[in-house]
Amino acid sequence: MSSRLNYAAKVAMIRLLQRPSFATRIGVLQGAGAPPPPTWSNGTVVLDPPLSTQRLPDETSAKQDAGLAGVVVVSILGEVTPRKNPALILDALEQIMAAKPSEPWVLYLPGSVDPEVVQTLSSRAENVRIVWGSGHLDAARYAAAFAASDIVAVVHSNEGSSGVLTEAAAYGKRAVAGGVGTVREQGAAIGAVVPTDDSVDALAAALLRARTASVAREPAKPVAGVLLEEFFLGPAVASPVEPAR
């Protein structure tokens, strides 16, 4: 069962990367001015330059613009629903704040947030400041949100690979990946910090590790017209990538 799930997750990720809308967003394109495709080697994503064609703003400026200067920003990107476990992430941040760290930790939700989540988080927050977004993130706001994030938290309850984790690797952002097995496996593959389990204690420890984790980068070896998927399909297997139109 586990091997079938792993294979299904890998295939789903490949299809996601090959969809024109997603490929446009993260820049997996071939053509004039497009960045080279990523390669995978021994389960580690190798990215240089970043995948995204939407270049990130300066981190300091992005934090100042979002009112997040001088704090550790943990973000949940995209539409925030209960399946992304925002309450668990908030509880982990509350535990960190209870230890009185040298810098305040903030939960940043720049996109649209489910009303149930707003109610739940508002009633649970004690020492952690929550910075709410204002709805849908266009490409520029999405890039700004990534730039302002110190750590991207992806803790999903539903199976399936995460595009946010792929983009975190592309942007060179620290990430914590927990929840279901496919997200944890994808997180381990891209160098994210993976909690030992989905308890508050484990997630808090993972966030603290991520705060000081280095973001490894190696020069990519682009191959014209193909997206190598060594991690997803095995060594020396390549899949053509058509230009987005």
Side-chain angles (χ1 to χ4, degrees):
M1 174 65 73
S2 175
S3 62
R4 288 199 299 270
L5 284 174
N6 290 346
Y7 178 78
K10 293 171 183 179
V11 170
M13 188 62 180
I14 293 164
R15 289 175 178 169
L16 178 64
L17 285 167
Q18 291 178 326
R19 282 165 50 187
S21 61
F22 189 78
T24 299
R25 184 172 173 183
I26 66 172
V28 185
L29 306 174
Q30 291 298 304
T39 62
W40 280 264
S41 176
N42 298 323
T44 300
V45 177
V46 181
L47 300 158
D48 187 19
L51 283 170
S52 181
T53 54
Q54 179 71 46
R55 300 303 181 191
L56 290 189
D58 173 71
E59 181 176 315
T60 301
S61 299
K63 280 192 163 188
Q64 289 175 344
D65 292 344
L68 296 168
V71 301
V72 180
V73 180
V74 177
S75 64
I76 307 175
L77 296 173
E79 181 183 5
V80 181
T81 63
R83 74 178 182 83
K84 293 187 176 181
N85 291 292
L88 175 63
I89 295 169
L90 174 63
D91 289 348
L93 292 175
E94 289 285 357
Q95 181 169 305
I96 291 172
M97 286 297 294
K100 301 187 183 304
S102 58
E103 299 172 289
W105 289 58
V106 167
L107 180 59
Y108 184 33
L109 310 175
S112 59
V113 183
D114 185 284
E116 178 185 342
V117 171
V118 173
Q119 182 176 5
T120 299
L121 297 187
S122 298
S123 65
R124 294 169 83 107
E126 295 181 3
N127 299 311
V128 175
R129 178 164 67 101
I130 302 174
V131 177
W132 306 95
S134 56
H136 175 72
L137 296 175
D138 60 20
R141 291 180 60 212
Y142 189 80
F146 253 109
S149 303
D150 292 301
I151 302 168
V152 177
V154 179
V155 186
H156 291 183
S157 296
N158 60 309
E159 289 288 352
S161 300
S162 166
V164 170
L165 277 178
T166 302
E167 290 172 317
Y171 283 133
K173 283 290 180 180
R174 296 172 177 86
V176 169
V180 296
T182 50
V183 172
R184 298 171 70 87
E185 290 174 5
Q186 183 190 4
I190 68 167
V193 177
V194 179
T196 55
D197 56 54
D198 291 324
S199 66
V200 172
D201 289 350
L203 184 55
L207 288 166
L208 288 169
R209 292 200 308 274
R211 178 70 179 114
T212 56
S214 61
V215 180
R217 284 188 179 277
E218 299 178 39
K221 297 178 180 178
V223 178
V226 300
L227 168 61
L228 296 181
E229 285 157 1
E230 295 178 24
F231 170 70
F232 295 105
L233 291 178
V237 178
S239 174
V241 176
E242 295 296 329
R245 304 188 189 285

